[in-house]
């Protein structure tokens, strides 16, 4: 039934490129600037490479990550500075040098000798920060630690490089001072100004993707900072999407298993302290008291419940439907309050669901006689990482010739059969699993399928049969009833 799985963006394709030498002097980096924006669960890293070609006809530039940086990176995108269209990136894995991971970025045009280009590499790191200390009392500030490597590695010579680490507050109790790098340093190896720590400028850094450089100069650095927002981790997200042509409805239901991954609470939780802190507007920022989520425009029948039943302390600002394909991005906004404030180490499991008009998500391809449905991978909880996600898209009964296009590769994918009330043969369902999703992973999954006319008729027949049997039971019951009365 499954014809093909395709992946739209060409991120992280397996390597088929001819072999190359990392030591090649094809380029020189005139400057590298890396900016790290510290957060809780998500850390945004943007690195600008000012590149000059030293050999003619260059079309591929290599970007390299150390082992830990590669492990933490959940999303990666390269662009020419100031442009919108992402460049193709190919994951070459570890080549030549152990613990140095290589990505090939395809340049938009050939560079001649002395030709220059500015590339911007954006990544999002997850699970890159940790509470330090790991316990804190209710009124304590939330201190986090972030570790990274001092040098941005590159197979090419770099005339000057610097790394800026930006914290969310200027309260930075400590940060590392690098050692043994005097040969690159002009004035100071590290400086701090307000909420920003700057490593560098470091001058004339030779090609660094070799064991000798790594051994002599590369070193871990860390920043210890006060982060006044909850560190949110969705340990598990289960999204179930049900398409009903018959009811002209698309239902989305999400089960969130949310955790405040900040420092564990030391001592007891005092509701009185919490309320008075709240009252005086001095609430410890790392306690989660509410969430604001963007849901689709045009939704109806929203519901939110947890293990104890309905939660009524939520407020939905509904926006009417936006015509499909319209450029206007509009959301309904749900402000929800968990049943209890979420302190460090605490979990909260809840289910959020709603209906949307089918025509907002499904279109009809008349040429190929196929329906095409677009479903977002997830609803993002601001600032959170989703450790594990399962997305299940349940198609109408009898759907065939299923074709799936995912915005980025799934960890696993399958076609299952989902059986529910009033189904005769069960419905095909597309199931996808993902890990470490971030705010960059809210893109659309597209599923296209055919529904033969006979399958369209199955539902009314099944419902008709169900009504008929109810009617028969009713008749029998009435007879029994009559007889009882007579007796
Ligand atoms: C490239 O630039 C260098 C230094 O500016 C110059 O010496 C060289 O002639 C240039 N090469 C070409 C092909 O323009
Ligand atoms: C929860 O609320 C919905 C809508 O308000 C209602 O239909 C449903 O019966 C409620 N469920 C419980 C268990 O209270
Ligand atoms: C939260 O959930 C995780 C994983 O299921 C579990 O290990 C942990 O003990 C839970 N914490 C609390 C406070 O219930």
């Amino acid at each position: 039934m499954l014809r093909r799985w395709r992946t739209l963006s060409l991120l992280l394709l397996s390597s088929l490129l001819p072999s190359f030498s990392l030591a090649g002097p094809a380029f020189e980096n005139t400057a590298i600037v890396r900016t790290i924006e510290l957060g809780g669960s998500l850390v945004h890293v943007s690195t600008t490479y000012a590149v000059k070609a030293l050999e003619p006809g260059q079309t591929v530039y290599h970007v390299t990550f150390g082992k830990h940086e590669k492990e933490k990176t959940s999303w990666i995108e390269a662009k020419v500075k100031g442009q919108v269209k992402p460049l193709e990136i190919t994951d070459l894995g570890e080549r030549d040098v152990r613990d140095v991971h290589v990505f090939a970025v395809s340049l938009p045009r050939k560079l001649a000798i002395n030709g220059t280009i500015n590339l911007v590499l954006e990544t999002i790191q997850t699970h890159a920060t940790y509470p330090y200390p790991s316990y804190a009392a209710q009124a304590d500030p939330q201190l986090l630690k972030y570790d990274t490597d001092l040098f941005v590695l590159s197979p090419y010579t770099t005339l000057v490089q610097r790394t800026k680490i930006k914290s969310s507050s200027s309260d930075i109790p400590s940060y590392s001072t690098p050692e043994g790098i005097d040969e690159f340093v002009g004035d100071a190896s590290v400086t701090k100004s307000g909420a920003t720590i700057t490593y560098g400028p470091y001058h004339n850094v030779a090609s660094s993707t070799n064991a000798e450089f790594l051994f002599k100069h590369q070193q871990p650095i860390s920043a210890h900072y006060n982060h006044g927002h909850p560190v949110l981790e969705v340990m598990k997200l289960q999204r179930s999407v049900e398409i009903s042509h018959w009811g002209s409805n698309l239902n989305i239901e999400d089960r969130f298993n949310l955790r405040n991954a900040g420092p564990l609470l030391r001592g007891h939780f005092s509701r009185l302290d919490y309320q008075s802190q709240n009252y005086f507007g001095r609430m410890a920022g790392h306690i989660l008291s509410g969430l604001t989520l963007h849901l689709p425009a045009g939704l109806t029948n929203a519901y939110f419940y947890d293990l104890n039943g309905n939660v009524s302390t939520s407020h939905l600002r509904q926006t009417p439907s936006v015509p499909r394909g319209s450029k206007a991005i509009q959301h309904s906004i749900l402000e929800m309050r968990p049943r209890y404030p979420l302190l460090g180490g605490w979990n909260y499991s809840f289910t959020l669901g709603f209906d949307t008009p089918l025509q907002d998500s499904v279109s009809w391809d008349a040429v190929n006689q196929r329906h095409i449905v677009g479903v977002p991978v997830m609803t993002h909880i601001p600032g959170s990482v989703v450790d594990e996600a399962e997305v299940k898209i349940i198609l109408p009964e009898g759907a065939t010739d299923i074709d799936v296009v995912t915005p980025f590769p799934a960890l696993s994918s399958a076609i299952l059969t989902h059986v529910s009330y009033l189904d005769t043969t069960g419905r095909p369902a597309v199931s996808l699993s993902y890990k470490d999703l971030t705010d960059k992973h809210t893109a659309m999954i597209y599923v296209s399928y055919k529904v033969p006319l006979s399958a369209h008729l199955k539902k009314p027949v099944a419902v008709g049969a169900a009504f008929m049997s109810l009617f028969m039971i009713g008749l029998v019951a009435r007879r029994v009833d009559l007889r009882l009365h007579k007796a």
Side-chain angles (χ1 to χ4, degrees), residues 1 14 33-34 124 127 212 224 237 267 330 365 414 417 433:
M1 188 159 36
S14 66
V33 178
R34 171 173 57 155
I124 296 191
H127 302 285
E212 194 197 343
H224 191 204
L237 166 64
Q330 288 199 24
D365 170 4
T417 302
S433 69

Side-chain angles (χ1 to χ4, degrees), residues 235 257-259 345-347:
M235 292 180 295
N257 210 328
L258 180 67
R259 175 180 162 84
W346 289 16
N347 298 338

Side-chain angles (χ1 to χ4, degrees), residues 302-303 309-310:
Y303 52 92
N310 275 349

Side-chain angles (χ1 to χ4, degrees), residues 50-321:
V51 172
K52 182 165 111 177
L54 302 182
E55 283 182 355
Q58 295 307 310
T59 55
V60 174
Y61 178 86
H62 292 112
V63 167
T64 50
F65 286 174
K67 184 167 185 266
H68 299 297
E69 185 170 13
K70 169 64 179 59
E71 281 166 359
K72 289 183 292 192
T73 299
S74 298
W75 185 84
I76 180 168
E77 186 177 79
K79 287 178 181 170
V80 175
K81 189 171 183 178
Q83 295 194 1
V84 182
K85 196 167 162 266
L87 302 174
E88 190 179 320
I89 298 183
T90 308
D91 186 345
L92 300 184
E94 281 186 18
R95 287 281 180 113
D96 303 351
V97 188
R98 212 171 138 233
D99 296 346
V100 175
H101 199 103
V102 185
F103 290 96
V105 178
S106 301
L107 302 180
R109 56 189 158 85
K110 251 189 200 150
L111 284 190
I113 286 198
N114 290 351
T116 60
I117 194 164
N118 287 338
L119 300 176
V120 180
L121 186 78
E122 252 198 274
T123 65
I124 296 191
Q125 299 178 347
T126 57
H127 302 285
T129 71
Y130 51 96
Y132 192 85
S134 52
Y135 283 83
Q138 189 174 335
D140 286 350
Q142 169 174 266
L143 296 174
L144 303 181
K145 214 166 187 181
Y146 171 79
D147 303 327
T148 188
D149 289 329
L150 175 62
F151 285 100
V152 176
L153 297 181
S154 176
Y156 319 111
T157 300
T158 302
L159 298 189
V160 59
Q161 75 160 265
R162 43 165 77 78
T163 292
K164 294 181 191 172
I165 301 184
K166 295 188 173 173
S167 160
S168 49
S169 77
S170 56
D171 182 8
I172 301 174
S174 72
Y175 54 91
S176 313
T177 302
E179 284 166 3
I181 56 160
D182 290 351
E183 63 193 272
F184 309 116
V185 177
D187 295 333
S189 64
V190 57
T191 51
K192 174 179 175 289
S193 166
T196 304
I197 309 163
T198 305
Y199 287 90
Y202 302 140
H203 301 277
N204 300 317
V205 182
S207 163
S208 50
T209 50
N210 55 75
E212 194 197 343
F213 184 95
L214 294 177
F215 178 74
K216 270 175 79 179
H217 303 298
Q218 186 63 303
Q219 53 195 288
I221 51 173
S222 63
H224 191 204
Y225 59 106
N226 183 345
H227 187 63
H229 306 278
V231 181
L232 295 183
E233 186 176 340
V234 176
M235 292 180 295
K236 188 151 196 188
L237 166 64
Q238 289 163 286
R239 162 159 283 200
S240 171
V241 179
E242 204 165 328
I243 297 161
S244 164
H245 284 275
W246 206 58
S248 195
N249 187 50
L250 184 124
N251 171 267
I252 296 187
E253 183 170 292
D254 289 327
R255 280 187 192 197
F256 289 93
N257 210 328
L258 180 67
R259 175 180 162 84
N260 183 338
L264 303 177
L265 177 65
R266 185 202 304 283
H268 291 288
F269 169 57
S270 156
R271 189 166 279 277
L272 188 66
D273 287 354
Y274 171 75
Q275 275 162 354
S276 69
Q277 282 172 349
N278 214 352
Y279 181 81
F280 291 110
R282 276 184 287 146
M283 202 152 70
H286 53 281
I287 298 178
L288 177 72
S289 54
L291 291 171
T292 301
L293 303 183
H294 284 187
L295 302 180
L299 67 79
T300 50
N301 301 329
Y303 52 92
F304 162 34
Y305 64 87
D306 63 16
L307 295 173
N308 292 318
N310 275 349
V311 185
S312 54
T313 51
S314 53
H315 175 66
L316 179 68
R317 267 182 279 149
Q318 264 160 305
T319 306
S321 281

